[in-house]
C-alpha cells in the first residue's frame, strides 16, 4: 500500500521553462512534507519542505505547494536549468519531529534539455 | 566534517551469507535510519533509531537487524542474504526525522 505516490516516472522540459513535479498521498496524519533530489551514484539531498499548516513555501527557484483537501503536493522549478536534471523524491513524515518516519514516493526523473 | 559515511561501496554476496553494512556520522545527530532503493519503489525505510540504545522498525524490516551502541554508528546486518535483498542501501542521519543527510550508498548484489 503506497501511501506516497509519484505517478509520473519521468518528466522532460526545456531549459528556462517551468518544471512541475507532482506527488499524492493517502494518509491524512502526515504533518510534514519534503522534496529530496538525487544525482546518480550519490545519496539524496534535501531540497525543500513544507509543514501541513502551510500551503506554500518558496526557496529561490523552488516552490512547494500543498493542497491538503486534495492530498496533493507539487514542486515547481522556475526557471529550469540543466543542472536540475536528477531524480526527485517527495516524502511525508508520520509522527513527531524527532521520532517520526519518512515515507518516500517512487521518484520522478527530471531531464532539463539545453 | 565527513558527514555520513558508508562502507563498503559495493558488495556481492552469495545466498545465505551474512554481512554488516557500516554507517557512521560525525554530526552528533540523534536520528539515524536505513533505506533501500529499488527501481519503481522509491526509498523504503528498513530500520531507524532516535538515539543510542533505541531502534525501531520501518516499512521493510524483515531479514535485517540493527543496533545503536553509540551516537555515531548505526550498522545494518543482513542475517541470511537473499536475492530479494539486492538493492542500493542508504544510511541517513539528522537532528530530526526530516531534513536528513544521506550517505553515498552501498550497492549490494546477492546471487
Amino acid at each position: 500500500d503506497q501511501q506516497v505516490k509519484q505517478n509520473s516516472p519521468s518528466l522532460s522540459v526545456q531549459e528556462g521553462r517551468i518544471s512541475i513535479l507532482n506527488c499524492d498521498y493517502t494518509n491524512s496524519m502526515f504533518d510534514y512534507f519534503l522534496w529530496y533530489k538525487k544525482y546518480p551514484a550519490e545519496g539524496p539531498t534535501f531540497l525543500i519542505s513544507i509543514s501541513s499548516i502551510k500551503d506554500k513555501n518558496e526557496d529561490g527557484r523552488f516552490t512547494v505547494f500543498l493542497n491538503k483537501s486534495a492530498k496533493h503536493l507539487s514542486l515547481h522549478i522556475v526557471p529550469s536549468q540543466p543542472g536540475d536534471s536528477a531524480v526527485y523524491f517527495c516524502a511525508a513524515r508520520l509522527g513527531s519531529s524527532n521520532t517520526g518516519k519518512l515515507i518516500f514516493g517512487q521518484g520522478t526523473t527530471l531531464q532539463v534539455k539545453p | 566534517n565527513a558527514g555520513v559515511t558508508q562502507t563498503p561501496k559495493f558488495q556481492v554476496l552469495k545466498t545465505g551469507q551474512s554481512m554488516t553494512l557500516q554507517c557512521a556520522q560525525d554530526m552528533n545527530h540523534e536520528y539515524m535510519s536505513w533505506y533501500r532503493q529499488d527501481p519503481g519503489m522509491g526509498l523504503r525505510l528498513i530500520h531507524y533509531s532516535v538515539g543510542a540504545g533505541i531502534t525501531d522498525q520501518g516499512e521493510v524490516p524483515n531479514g535485517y537487524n540493527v543496533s545503536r551502541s553509540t551516537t555515531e554508528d548505526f550498522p545494518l546486518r543482513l542475517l541470511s542474504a537473499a536475492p530479494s535483498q539486492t538493492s542500493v542501501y542508504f544510511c541517513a542521519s539528522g537532528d530530526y526525522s526530516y531534513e536528513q543527510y544521506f550517505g553515498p550508498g552501498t550497492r549490494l548484489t546477492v546471487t
Side-chain angles (χ1 to χ4, degrees), chain A residues 2 32 34 36 38 41-44 46 49 89 93 96-106, chain B residues 31 35 37 40-43 45 48 50 57-59 90 95-104:
Chain A
Q2 194 84 22
Y32 208 82
L34 307 91
Y36 279 80
K38 184 184 179 304
E42 293 183 11
F46 169 73
S49 63
F89 292 100
R93 187 182 73 186
S96 64
S97 64
N98 62 346
T99 61
K101 308 177 189 180
L102 280 188
I103 308 298
F104 282 82
Q106 306 96 311
Chain B
Y31 193 96
Y35 294 86
Q37 183 192 5
M41 302 294 290
L43 292 157
L45 181 65
Y48 67 103
V50 300
Q57 296 181 349
E59 302 170 84
F90 291 100
D95 286 322
Y96 310 99
S97 62
Y98 55 95
E99 297 188 36
Q100 295 179 66
Y101 295 85
F102 282 78

Side-chain angles (χ1 to χ4, degrees), chain B residues 14-99:
Chain B
K14 292 189 185 323
T15 297
Q17 287 184 317
S18 63
M19 80 158 296
T20 299
L21 307 186
Q22 300 292 343
C23 174
Q25 53 95 4
D26 60 0
M27 296 172 281
N28 205 33
H29 288 155
E30 291 294 329
Y31 193 96
M32 295 187 75
S33 54
W34 276 101
Y35 294 86
R36 58 178 289 175
Q37 183 192 5
D38 302 292
M41 302 294 290
L43 292 157
R44 292 183 292 170
L45 181 65
I46 305 171
H47 285 286
Y48 67 103
S49 168
V50 300
I54 307 169
T55 63
D56 204 349
Q57 296 181 349
E59 302 170 84
V60 289
N62 292 341
Y64 306 96
N65 213 350
V66 292
S67 60
R68 182 99 178 267
S69 55
T70 67
T71 299
E72 294 78 20
D73 300 297
F74 191 42
L76 178 72
R77 295 181 188 84
L78 278 71
L79 309 173
S80 177
S84 61
Q85 293 178 304
T86 293
S87 188
V88 182
Y89 291 85
F90 291 100
C91 177
S93 75
D95 286 322
Y96 310 99
S97 62
Y98 55 95
E99 297 188 36

Side-chain angles (χ1 to χ4, degrees), chain A residues 76-109:
Chain A
H76 293 209
I77 306 174
V78 184
S80 301
Q81 298 173 355
D84 296 329
S85 297
V87 178
Y88 289 79
F89 292 100
C90 68
R93 187 182 73 186
L94 191 64
S96 64
S97 64
N98 62 346
T99 61
K101 308 177 189 180
L102 280 188
I103 308 298
F104 282 82
Q106 306 96 311
T108 296
T109 300

